[in-house]
Amino acid sequence: SLVWCGWRSLVWQVRDGKRKETEEDVSVWTFDKTDLSKKDRRGGPIKDKDVIEAVYQLMLKDMKTLEECKGSPGTLQMIEIVEEGKNALVFLTEPIVCSLQDSLCNFDNIPNGPSLHKESFEANGAISEMEISRGVCQVVEALQSLHTRQGRLHCNLTPESVVVTCSG
């Protein structure tokens, strides 16, 4: 499945994968700087090279921040950075199911989304009240951990930036 996350959905692509060494399931996050200037790009092409470079630097910083926050409760767990090139970034995380936005929009951005995710949530493909309560608690715990342990603030807390992992 392909998952789009955050306003950065216009740049990050997330796919299911397997880690070569261990055969464990992972999510593969990819960003290709050249995709930003493509005519068919969702959101339209970016033509300004300085803007493209600024977006690349922001994505690189996001990737490094996620790596630094490894082990913090409630945060997506990075497994490894696979590529940090001039034009592309690739890293592996624990498997994710979708973003919160995907679930709220009935998985419209994911091919065959509703049928793929029917078994992922307690309420037959929708988020139950129990899952909402548990999710809010996990988000608060993650924000508290980022603030107290990492000395960081999360400045993009949106349904697109909250991901649901296989473990909930």
Side-chain angles (χ1 to χ4, degrees), residues 4-6 98-105 156-164:
W4 300 96
C5 297
C98 63
S99 72
L100 179 57
Q101 179 65 28
D102 291 325
S103 67
L104 295 173
C105 292
N156 186 35
L157 188 58
T158 63
E160 295 90 356
S161 66
V162 175
V163 294
V164 179

Side-chain angles (χ1 to χ4, degrees), residues 71-112:
S72 292
T75 60
L76 184 64
Q77 297 302 300
M78 180 183 280
I79 296 172
E80 73 175 297
I81 294 175
V82 176
E83 182 178 347
E84 188 180 326
K86 277 179 27 180
N87 293 314
L89 302 172
V90 180
F91 64 92
L92 307 178
T93 66
E94 64 184 304
I96 67 168
V97 174
C98 63
S99 72
L100 179 57
Q101 179 65 28
D102 291 325
S103 67
L104 295 173
C105 292
N106 199 31
F107 308 102
D108 289 340
N109 288 332
I110 302 174
N112 301 316

Side-chain angles (χ1 to χ4, degrees), residues 5-162:
C5 297
W7 72 263
R8 295 173 169 109
S9 67
L10 305 176
V11 293
W12 284 119
Q13 292 186 29
V14 186
R15 291 190 167 79
D16 297 334
K18 287 208 180 281
R19 194 166 181 202
K20 286 182 182 179
E21 301 84 28
T22 62
E23 291 294 313
E24 69 182 306
D25 290 333
V26 295
S27 285
V28 181
W29 295 67
T30 59
F31 164 71
D32 188 336
K33 189 177 1 179
T34 60
D35 287 345
L36 296 174
S37 58
K38 290 185 177 175
K39 289 180 183 178
D40 62 343
R41 179 181 167 272
R42 196 172 140 207
I46 299 174
K47 296 180 182 182
D48 187 323
K49 292 185 190 295
D50 291 336
V51 172
I52 291 172
E53 186 57 32
V55 170
Y56 173 81
Q57 291 302 320
L58 182 60
M59 298 302 100
L60 178 61
K61 183 179 178 187
D62 283 353
M63 182 178 76
K64 294 291 189 178
T65 299
L66 187 61
E67 182 181 42
E68 291 169 9
C69 293
K70 215 180 221 183
S72 292
T75 60
L76 184 64
Q77 297 302 300
M78 180 183 280
I79 296 172
E80 73 175 297
I81 294 175
V82 176
E83 182 178 347
E84 188 180 326
K86 277 179 27 180
N87 293 314
L89 302 172
V90 180
F91 64 92
L92 307 178
T93 66
E94 64 184 304
I96 67 168
V97 174
C98 63
S99 72
L100 179 57
Q101 179 65 28
D102 291 325
S103 67
L104 295 173
C105 292
N106 199 31
F107 308 102
D108 289 340
N109 288 332
I110 302 174
N112 301 316
S115 61
L116 277 176
H117 294 87
K118 190 175 186 178
E119 304 297 321
S120 299
F121 298 96
E122 292 175 4
N124 203 22
I127 300 176
S128 70
E129 285 188 36
M130 174 68 91
E131 289 169 315
I132 291 169
S133 298
R134 192 172 41 208
V136 168
C137 288
Q138 289 173 338
V139 168
V140 169
E141 180 184 21
L143 292 173
Q144 182 179 16
S145 174
L146 285 174
H147 181 69
T148 57
R149 295 182 187 176
Q150 301 284 331
R152 296 181 184 273
L153 294 175
H154 194 300
C155 297
N156 186 35
L157 188 58
T158 63
E160 295 90 356
S161 66
V162 175

